[in-house]
């Protein structure tokens, strides 16, 4: 993933790469919901979903170059990362 993201990002652009990884994650999670998570196929699908999630998270840092001006880039990425991590902690408590 860490090799594929920069290559795809340079060739297709960060936003299209982000959409590809998110669509791949959605397809894997949807098929996992239909098929189920048992056996070797379920394990392979869970690993594929993890791969897609890692790719989507990695491309966020690449795409932040376009989202924030240079002077505020570090602060903007830090705030976005903090919100994402707080959300991942609070989501299981809320659901």
């Amino acid at each position: 993933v860490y090799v594929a993201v920069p290559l795809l990002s340079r060739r297709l652009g960060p936003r299209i790469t982000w959409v590809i990884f998110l669509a791949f994650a959605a397809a894997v999670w949807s098929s996992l919901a239909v098929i189920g998570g048992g056996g070797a196929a379920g394990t392979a699908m869970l690993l594929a979903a993890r791969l897609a999630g890692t790719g989507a998270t990695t491309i966020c840092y690449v795409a932040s170059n376009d989202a924030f001006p240079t002077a505020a880039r570090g602060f903007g990425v830090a705030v976005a990362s903090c919100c994402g991590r707080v959300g991942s902690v609070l989501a299981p408590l809320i659901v």
Side-chain angles (χ1 to χ4, degrees):
V1 170
Y2 296 113
V3 174
V5 166
L7 294 175
L8 286 173
S9 179
R10 286 188 190 138
R11 186 171 296 266
L12 302 174
R15 293 182 186 194
I16 294 174
T17 305
W18 199 1
V19 168
I20 289 170
F21 276 103
L22 290 175
F24 179 63
V28 170
W29 282 113
S30 298
S31 60
L32 189 62
V34 172
I35 295 171
T43 302
M45 293 177 83
L46 286 171
L47 289 173
R50 179 67 182 148
L51 175 102
T54 301
T57 303
T58 303
I59 198 68
C60 286
Y61 294 107
V62 176
S64 67
N65 290 331
D66 296 337
F68 299 108
T70 304
R73 189 171 296 149
F75 182 72
V77 171
V79 169
S81 177
C82 179
C83 290
R85 290 178 186 189
V86 168
S88 68
V89 169
L90 293 178
L93 300 175
I94 294 171
V95 175

